[in-house]
Amino acid sequence: MVAGTNLSSIITVQPISKNTTCPVLDSGTGILTCSQTSSPVSCSYQCPENLYLLSDGALIYSLTVTCNSSTAQWSHVSPSNSLGNFPPCTEKVTPKSYSLNATLKFVGATKCSDTASLASALTAVLKDSSSEAYGCMDNGNCFISSKNTTCSFSNGGLEVKILVIQTGGNLSSPQTMLDFKSQLEAETSLKLSVEDGSRKRAVLTLTLAKTEAAEITTKCEAGQQAVNLSCVVCGVGQYENGGKCADCPLHSYSALSGSTQCKACPDGLKTVSTGSDSKTDCTAVCVVQEVKSGYRSPAAGYPVTPDTKITTFCNSGYDLETNQTSSTKCGDDNKPNCHKQCPITKSSVDAKLHDPAVSVLSYKEKLTFTCPEEETLSVTCTKPGTSLLITCSVSEETSAVVYFVSGIVGGLVFVAIVIMIAVLLMRYRSRLGSMRRRGVVHVDPT
């Protein structure tokens, strides 16, 4: 594979099964294996053979993440990675060159000669050496850079800094430079013959006292990063920035590995996380809303796509409205909310609950129960947090109302009867007086 290819197109993806709390993860360009029985639930993400993960400047073979059941969040999720994407799998490639920076301490001179002469003299000595470690100098696969050679006088000797560059031979391994470095550090009798830089052009013999600060570095092509004396290609969703692979910033993407820049999203579109690897990642953005007395996954305030599934979880003692789903798309208008549960109190032993295990009701949830003589009653949580009484007898408050109403009705009936009797008596007296006046009624004088 070469830089500039779509790495994800050749990766086998293993899907993840759904777990109880945290969102389902996308395996991206790697292979994801999850354990649903472990506590906490964990997933191991690894790359196929001969591909690697680049993490904090080091190559790793796998990455393990865990699910926090109290927040329903994966351990690698963050505001800049709200969907829990994994870093891309990448490959190691042959470096462009290796370099050995070394500082040599010489005795036998009180001032520096021409640096080009020093580099030339040192090259000649190493080529003539019987050590196989310097073989790359003889066959032209490596050389001492004269323009990077410096000289200074300190502590009674010359300090010469050199740069040995390997551009040929076996570049798939740093072994040539490692052997060169080991041999140079072991030298105790290396001698150079150089002109002293005076008009007399006297020849001085410099004896190597010691080699210190020897370090090997790697030079990579554009779109790559040097890691452990190797080069790795910046993966999809990344770009090379100053010799380092970095995730594409928000609202940009990189669909090809080995990129040196990311493409900006079209006008009006954004990405919800860094490291986007496709133009399709450029979309409208929806911010997850907060929920009182609960939490959401992905978390409130995180940017996601409008069709991202948002799951709502309620704190202890709270629940969603009955028959309301806990998962909705971020772009949906009707978001589930958490309501305080209604506790149930059973005051009548005669009441038989249709679901004996129920001790609380969700908002708008209905519970039916049966009383003696097969009378079916029900209670409903119409006001969150209200205590519900399960009873088959009339309560004292209800009895008081009944007695009060009965008293009023009885009093009204009594008054009506008295009024009727009074009316009848008045009619009787009136009729009796009329009959007397007509002489129909005779009164016995005795």
Side-chain angles (χ1 to χ4, degrees):
M1 185 184 303
V2 295
T5 60
N6 192 328
L7 187 65
S8 61
S9 63
I10 66 167
I11 303 301
T12 302
V13 176
Q14 176 178 316
I16 174 180
S17 58
K18 185 177 180 181
N19 62 75
T20 55
T21 54
C22 288
V24 176
L25 293 173
D26 184 354
S27 55
T29 59
I31 300 173
L32 198 59
T33 305
C34 295
S35 172
Q36 306 293 336
T37 58
S38 62
S39 181
V41 173
S42 63
C43 290
S44 176
Y45 175 75
Q46 62 183 20
C47 293
E49 188 176 1
N50 298 324
L51 294 177
Y52 307 88
L53 294 171
L54 182 58
S55 176
D56 296 328
L59 291 179
I60 59 176
Y61 298 95
S62 64
L63 179 66
T64 299
V65 296
T66 56
C67 171
N68 185 337
S69 59
S70 63
T71 61
Q73 301 291 326
W74 290 102
S75 56
H76 66 306
V77 169
S78 67
S80 62
N81 186 20
S82 58
L83 301 182
N85 295 326
F86 289 100
C89 293
T90 187
E91 60 176 342
K92 288 198 297 186
V93 293
T94 301
K96 186 176 182 179
S97 65
Y98 293 105
S99 297
L100 171 63
N101 293 276
T103 300
L104 310 179
K105 296 284 188 178
F106 288 97
V107 295
T110 58
K111 64 179 180 178
C112 290
S113 61
D114 178 61
T115 54
S117 299
L118 282 172
S120 178
L122 186 57
T123 298
V125 169
L126 296 181
K127 281 185 176 182
D128 292 339
S129 173
S130 60
S131 173
E132 294 182 357
Y134 302 137
C136 67
M137 297 286 294
D138 191 42
N139 56 31
N141 289 329
C142 59
F143 64 93
I144 297 176
S145 173
S146 58
K147 69 177 183 179
N148 294 109
T149 301
T150 63
C151 177
S152 61
F153 184 80
S154 64
N155 298 326
L158 295 183
E159 184 178 276
V160 179
K161 294 183 178 181
I162 63 172
L163 177 66
V164 183
I165 302 175
Q166 180 191 357
T167 57
N170 182 15
L171 293 173
S172 61
S173 167
Q175 193 58 52
T176 297
M177 281 290 96
L178 290 172
D179 293 343
F180 196 110
K181 175 177 178 291
S182 296
Q183 182 62 37
L184 193 60
E185 290 175 334
E187 293 288 357
T188 57
S189 59
L190 190 67
K191 298 181 182 297
L192 301 182
S193 296
V194 296
E195 295 180 354
D196 64 357
S198 66
R199 292 182 179 180
K200 297 181 179 180
R201 304 180 68 86
V203 177
L204 300 176
T205 300
L206 304 180
T207 302
L208 180 64
K210 64 177 179 177
T211 300
E212 60 183 28
E215 179 184 8
I216 299 175
T217 59
T218 307
K219 185 175 182 179
C220 303
E221 299 283 359
Q224 301 174 5
Q225 176 177 334
V227 180
N228 298 335
L229 299 182
S230 297
C231 292
V232 294
V233 179
C234 298
V236 291
Q238 297 180 329
Y239 73 111
E240 181 254 313
N241 182 20
K244 302 290 185 181
C245 293
D247 288 339
C248 287
L250 286 172
H251 320 320
S252 66
Y253 67 95
S254 172
L256 299 177
S257 60
S259 297
T260 56
Q261 61 183 359
C262 301
K263 295 182 178 180
C265 288
D267 291 343
L269 299 180
K270 300 178 180 180
T271 61
V272 299
S273 63
T274 59
S276 296
D277 59 11
S278 173
K279 186 177 180 180
T280 59
D281 292 335
C282 298
T283 180
V285 174
C286 177
V287 178
V288 181
Q289 297 179 4
E290 289 189 51
V291 58
K292 292 183 179 180
S293 305
Y295 54 94
R296 288 191 166 121
S297 177
Y302 280 20
V304 296
T305 58
D307 60 350
T308 298
K309 186 180 74 172
I310 308 299
T311 304
T312 301
F313 300 88
C314 295
N315 296 338
S316 177
Y318 292 80
D319 206 348
L320 301 177
E321 180 180 329
T322 186
N323 298 325
Q324 189 175 38
T325 179
S326 63
S327 297
T328 56
K329 293 181 179 180
C330 183
D332 291 347
D333 294 330
N334 185 23
K335 301 292 191 303
N337 291 307
C338 296
H339 306 275
K340 195 168 185 179
Q341 297 169 331
C342 292
I344 295 174
T345 302
K346 184 179 178 183
S347 66
S348 177
V349 296
D350 296 329
K352 295 181 180 179
L353 301 182
H354 290 189
D355 188 354
V358 175
S359 60
V360 293
L361 293 184
S362 302
Y363 178 49
K364 293 186 179 181
E365 185 178 7
K366 181 179 180 180
L367 177 67
T368 58
F369 59 95
T370 303
C371 290
E373 300 181 359
E374 302 300 323
E375 180 183 10
T376 300
L377 302 175
S378 65
V379 291
T380 303
C381 180
T382 56
K383 183 179 180 181
T386 303
S387 296
L388 302 177
L389 184 64
I390 305 298
T391 180
C392 290
S393 60
V394 180
S395 65
E396 293 181 0
E397 292 182 357
T398 303
S399 298
V401 172
V402 171
Y403 293 152
F404 178 73
V405 173
S406 298
I408 292 176
V409 173
L412 293 175
V413 171
F414 176 76
V415 171
I417 293 174
V418 170
I419 292 173
M420 289 177 64
I421 293 174
V423 170
L424 291 175
L425 287 174
M426 289 177 63
R427 288 180 179 179
Y428 175 76
R429 289 176 180 176
S430 176
R431 185 176 180 183
L432 183 61
S434 177
M435 291 175 67
R436 284 179 178 176
R437 287 192 295 269
R438 291 196 303 244
V440 175
V441 178
H442 299 277
V443 181
D444 189 354
T446 60

